[in-house]
Amino acid sequence: MMNLEKALKRLRENNHKVTMRRRDIITFFEQENRYVNARAVMDFMENLHPSMSFDTVYRNLHLYEQLNILEVTTLDGEKHFRMKCSPEHHHHFICNDCGSTKKLPLCPMDQATELLLGYDIEDHKFEVYGRCPDCQFTL
Amino acid sequence: MMNLEKALKRLRENNHKVTMRRRDIITFFEQENRYVNARAVMDFMENLHPSMSFDTVYRNLHLYEQLNILEVTTLDGEKHFRMKCSPEHHHHFICNDCGSTKKLPLCPMDQATELLLGYDIEDHKFEVYGRCPDCQFTL
DNA sequence: ATCGATGCAAACTCTTTGCATAGCA
DNA sequence: TGCTATGCAAAGAGTTTGCATCGAT
């Protein structure tokens, strides 16, 4: 699992500066085991940095994605981010309510590959959506 | 597989009018075995109806989605539509180049369900992306 | 004739970009 | 000091909506 220390190291290794904003964004993701959108990051950051701008949120989310610090998925046409999980390949259950995730240590690609001879496979997506135990009885 | 006849029937059954535009949109999807975006529908329709507006494209795509005439998926944050396939549950390979699809008659949910006791599963998505045989050597 | 469908224009959401300034190394 | 990160403002893409009119039934 990615964390603050590793993330800052990766920033430095790739010649990016470590700013307060960058540090705080990582801190936010460190404590949120779930997919959040740019809005949520902005809400968190505005408290710490009243002058925070959305541009910086987006720019850094994009940077973190490139540096493999964050994972991305598109939910309802909106990008959602979370701290990068373990390096082993896996998929996720994602709660429609709170965005929290549960790892699914399985992958259907073995079977799918057999059905796709002659096809050039570049990527795949497997996600399960619903309500996590905590969110089932709220509302 | 959904077709023009069934689609018009479903429109009437749900008290929607059958207009030329609606008929022609269905005809377009009938001959395209692939996921296309609103832009592609618009391009096709503009030839037949020079006064065609994007609003009508979007309104009808949305209507067809609700009536289960079209399937939807979000690719790169953009909605893509195709004619509803066979009623048996299945998934798709989707070509990143032309949007053409190949059915994958398999579903990882049996195994996933076992891992998600206590979770309320509402939906899931499994898609494989890449290049179909026809698109591999173009470019 | 009635009521839903459409075109027009505007607005809305999410996201990206150019530029001058602020701030890390 | 030098160069990157940031805020501001503006723009861009995709999509939705209110309203007057058009058109299917």
Side-chain angles (χ1 to χ4, degrees):
Chain A
M1 175 74 97
M2 180 57 59
N3 60 30
L4 177 63
E5 190 189 2
K6 288 187 202 167
L8 300 187
K9 181 158 166 281
R10 192 161 300 178
L11 277 172
R12 293 195 188 92
E13 284 170 355
N14 291 79
N15 292 5
H16 294 284
K17 291 177 180 169
V18 174
T19 64
M20 282 312 283
R21 271 139 233 252
R22 285 193 174 152
R23 177 179 253 109
D24 291 337
I25 290 175
I26 301 287
T27 305
F28 173 64
F29 279 103
E30 214 175 15
Q31 68 194 35
E32 299 283 337
N33 180 40
R34 59 195 189 100
Y35 276 107
V36 298
N37 58 15
R39 173 79 258 165
V41 179
M42 185 62 181
D43 287 347
F44 174 83
M45 293 295 290
E46 268 180 329
N47 290 327
L48 304 179
H49 308 275
S51 70
M52 187 77 189
S53 74
F54 248 114
D55 326 79
T56 301
V57 171
Y58 279 112
R59 274 190 278 237
N60 284 319
L61 290 177
H62 187 245
L63 175 64
Y64 290 157
E65 181 186 352
Q66 290 190 309
L67 294 179
N68 248 287
I69 290 170
L70 295 181
E71 287 184 49
V72 195
T73 193
T74 300
L75 304 174
D76 266 321
E78 196 182 1
K79 285 191 179 179
H80 286 65
F81 303 81
R82 58 156 295 145
M83 202 66 121
K84 193 84 179 181
C85 296
S86 50
E88 319 92 56
H89 182 68
H90 64 275
H91 296 281
H92 278 132
F93 167 92
I94 303 174
C95 179
N96 281 331
D97 217 47
C98 69
S100 72
T101 59
K102 179 174 166 50
K103 252 198 221 180
L104 298 175
L106 66 89
C107 181
M109 284 311 290
D110 300 342
Q111 300 143 65
T113 305
E114 295 174 15
L115 298 169
L116 291 168
L117 299 175
Y119 287 75
D120 181 12
I121 296 172
E122 296 177 342
D123 199 9
H124 67 281
K125 179 167 190 163
F126 172 47
E127 284 174 353
V128 183
Y129 312 101
R131 308 262 157 188
C132 70
D134 287 349
C135 289
Q136 281 177 41
F137 305 108
T138 49
L139 252 191
Chain B
M1 175 74 96
M2 179 57 59
N3 59 32
L4 177 61
E5 189 189 3
K6 287 188 203 166
L8 299 188
K9 180 158 168 278
R10 194 161 299 178
L11 277 173
R12 293 195 188 93
E13 285 170 355
N14 290 79
N15 292 7
H16 295 286
K17 292 179 180 168
V18 174
T19 64
M20 282 311 284
R21 271 137 232 254
R22 286 195 173 149
R23 177 179 253 110
D24 291 338
I25 290 175
I26 301 288
T27 304
F28 173 65
F29 279 102
E30 215 177 13
Q31 69 194 33
E32 298 283 337
N33 180 41
R34 58 196 189 97
Y35 277 106
V36 298
N37 58 15
R39 173 79 258 166
V41 179
M42 186 61 180
D43 287 348
F44 174 84
M45 293 295 289
E46 268 180 329
N47 291 325
L48 304 179
H49 308 274
S51 69
M52 188 77 190
S53 74
F54 248 114
D55 327 78
T56 301
V57 170
Y58 279 113
R59 275 190 278 234
N60 284 317
L61 290 177
H62 187 245
L63 175 65
Y64 290 158
E65 180 186 354
Q66 290 190 309
L67 295 179
N68 247 286
I69 291 170
L70 295 180
E71 288 184 48
V72 195
T73 192
T74 300
L75 305 173
D76 266 321
E78 194 182 1
K79 285 191 181 178
H80 287 63
F81 303 81
R82 57 156 297 143
M83 201 67 119
K84 194 84 178 181
C85 295
S86 49
E88 319 91 57
H89 183 69
H90 64 274
H91 297 282
H92 278 133
F93 167 92
I94 302 174
C95 179
N96 281 331
D97 218 46
C98 70
S100 73
T101 58
K102 179 177 165 48
K103 254 198 219 179
L104 298 174
L106 66 89
C107 180
M109 284 311 291
D110 299 342
Q111 300 144 66
T113 305
E114 295 174 15
L115 299 167
L116 290 168
L117 299 175
Y119 287 75
D120 182 12
I121 297 173
E122 296 177 344
D123 198 9
H124 66 283
K125 179 169 191 161
F126 172 47
E127 283 174 354
V128 183
Y129 311 102
R131 308 263 158 187
C132 70
D134 286 349
C135 288
Q136 281 178 42
F137 304 108
T138 50
L139 252 192

